[in-house]
Each structure stands twice: as C-alpha cells, then as structure tokens.
Amino acid sequence: MKIDAVITWVDGNDPNHRRKRMEYGASALATSVDKAAETRFADVGEIFWCVASLNRYASWLNKIYIVTDEQDPGLDEFLAANFPEGHVPVEVVDHKVIFRGYEDCLPTFNSISIETMTWRIPGLSDCFIEFNDDLLLLDHTTPEDFFTKDGKPICYASFSSVIFDRFTRLFKARRNGTKMVTTKGSHMNGAMLAGHRFKYLRPAHCQKALRRDFYEKFFLGHEQIMRNNASHRFRDAEQFSSQVLQYMALYDASACEIRSPKGALFFMQPDGSDGYFNKKMCRLNQFKGKFACFNSMDVAKPKQRDELVSWISRRLDVKFPFK
C-alpha cells in the first residue's frame, strides 16, 4: 500500500503573505481571533520538526507534499545534513496547483478551504495522511497506525452530540454580531452534510489518514459544495470539515476504523505561564504515545520554546538550522 503525507504550511512572517492577508481582509477580519489570528500563520520552524519526525519515524512513506502559498520552507540542506543516507522525497505544491480551475478563490488564508482541495495534488496516492506543520511523530510507526491492512483510514476521535453542542453554542459570545467560528462547528457541519443530525466525530488534533478516491468521487458529484467550501478566504461559520465529512460517510459504510486518541496523542498549547509549561514538559518526558501537537508555540516564552526545540532535537536526533 502506497501512502503519502500532505503538510499544509505557511510562513505568516513573510511580508508578502502578510500584505496579501491585509489586502483581502478588512482589518478587523484579517486579525480576528476566530478567523485569522496571527498565531494561525506564525512560523517558528515547526515545518522542520514535522518533516524530520516523518523521516525518523515513518521512513516508509512514499512521498511528502508540502502545500503552501508561493513559499518554500528551504528544507534541502537540512534534510541532506540530518539524513545523509537518504530521506523521503519532498515536493512543494503551490495553492495554484490544487486550486486549478478555481483560481478565483485565491489567495486563501483558510485551512478549511485548503483542506477541501488537497486531494487534487497531482500524483497523490489514494491513501494519504494530512498533517498541520505543528504535528509530529514521537516514535516509530507502521502503516497500520494510520490505515488498516485493507486500506481503511484510522480516525483517532470520539463521538459527540450535535444537539447538545448546538445548544451550548447558543450561549457563546458573539463577535461583531456574528457567530464565532469554531472547529466544533465545522465538524458538526461535516457530519450534517454526511447525513448525521444527532452525532458527529470530533477528531483529535493529530494527523488525519484519508482516502483521495473518496474525495474525488464525492466532490466530482457535488462540485458546487466543494466550490462553496473552498471559496472562503478566511474561516467562516458555514464551512464544513471535509475530513469529518469523509470519516462520517466512511463510518456509515464500515470503511474506516475509529480509535480513541487517549494515550496516543500529546497536546501542548502554551499560555505563557511557567507552571503550565513545566507541568507539560514533565508529562512529555513520561509520554509513551506516538503522536504530538505543539500548538501555537509562537506565544510561548522564548526560553520555553528553546527548551521544547532542544527536547525535539534530541528526540529526533537532528540539528535544526535555527538553533
């Protein structure tokens, strides 16, 4: 079974990217916390962590595709220095490639829109694993950590109630008179599109094993749904998670496997306090699972970030160019 990895990446520190964000979004929209907060685009070198972890712990991958907007992370020297005996092939894919025929939707600054179109990468395997750049592997994996032997995706998630979560959202504060955009909301929208009105899957904040051929069949038969979801340059409350749409549809067909993320995923989202960070680092040293997400490390104190990067460097046995 041939399996590819797809990583969505952006360097929001790039002046050209920042200029486009401000040009296409009103100042309030382009910086709103729920739609386009700076932390969604900030880059502190996470792409190096992610790609290094895939080479160290998933060297069986066929290819790594990095999807980005007129940018290049510059990984060649890093990979050559740290994996001199060879590494998984890497290809940078521009948004224009996956949005071909839908160029009017570009530029986009919206991960939901981008994930709606990643299946259109030329040459992408039917089995692929989607990563954000803040996700990485912490131990050796096999294809069976992501797909069953007969090619069914493995989804690390739990079920939740649509009715209960819709009800609780009624009491959420609104911003500028509109509903807040939430990950939960996009998950519920994906489940509703798959025909589920009462329950939905909430995937953990880790990699997503997916089937390209499912997306091709569904979106070619529902082209306007795909276009509508991909057309929002910034996150919108009406958008759906294409990943949850796929999982719910495959779940109905007994074509995916649901596993609990408990014990499999380590999650850290620093709040700047030393107490939180130190507690998390202690737990990280004891963690036995294979997956990790180090979310929004740009908001961590520099000394905290340095400590984490040093830990990752030792764990992956690599030297990062920014350390």
Side-chain angles (χ1 to χ4, degrees), residues 134 198-199 216 258 261:
D134 59 0
F198 303 110
K199 67 177 181 179
E216 180 176 44
I258 310 300

Side-chain angles (χ1 to χ4, degrees), residues 162-175 178-180 182 184 188:
V162 170
I163 295 174
F164 178 79
D165 287 347
R166 290 278 192 209
F167 178 75
T168 57
R169 287 188 73 193
L170 296 175
F171 300 95
K172 294 280 187 181
R174 288 178 170 249
R175 187 176 294 273
T178 63
K179 290 188 297 185
M180 289 284 286
T182 65
K184 268 188 188 181
M188 284 188 275

Side-chain angles (χ1 to χ4, degrees), residues 26 56 82 94 105 214 232 240-241 290:
R56 186 64 70 205
N82 286 283
D94 193 79
C105 298
F214 169 86
H232 298 277
F240 64 88
S241 164
K290 296 182 178 182

